[in-house]
Amino acid sequence: MSSGFSRGRNGSVVAVFEAAEISLLRSLVSMMLGIVSPGQTSDDPLERALGIGDGAAPSDPVLVRLFPSAYEDEKESAEFRRYTEATLRDGKRADAQTVHETARSGRFELSPEEAQAWLRSLNDLRLTLGTKLEVTEEVHDEIAMMSEDDPRYPAYVTYDWLTYLQDSLVRALW
């Protein structure tokens, strides 16, 4: 396992990863880039150019988790989603791309801006994997009791590793 993140000089963050960890991380980030691909936009050319969507709520549970409804009222939520989801997707893709481009094995430094992108992207990865695994608050107890032969074990350990990385990065930033 990596040593995670630590505080560097001048607001930078130092990261240390093994080659296998970078391979896994890049694979997860590539998956994220596919999940948050550009959403549906309006047929109107101006609205399409401005990134105004159709306002439809996603049916995929992962997308529901990554782009939750802003309002309980469906009409208000659809209107809000119509004007914001494209920008939110762009931001999530940009963060994932930053991780993909800056991640390398060994020791490397992240600028404060890159570290923030990593933090947002790690959060998105955890939300995605956690939704797919239907993670509950008892996840750590489940992992401790789970046999390494359990077919779910690698995914749960990956979720736990992402949790560790996110915690390590938060501590390095603050």
Side-chain angles (χ1 to χ4, degrees), residues 32-53:
M32 178 59 61
L33 287 167
I35 290 171
V36 295
S37 61
Q40 292 295 114
T41 55
S42 169
D43 291 333
D44 180 271
L46 178 60
E47 289 183 359
R48 191 171 37 252
L50 295 173
I52 297 173

Side-chain angles (χ1 to χ4, degrees), residues 26 39 55 58 69 115 140 147 151 154 166:
R26 283 197 174 130
S69 293
H140 299 293
S147 164
Q166 187 178 25

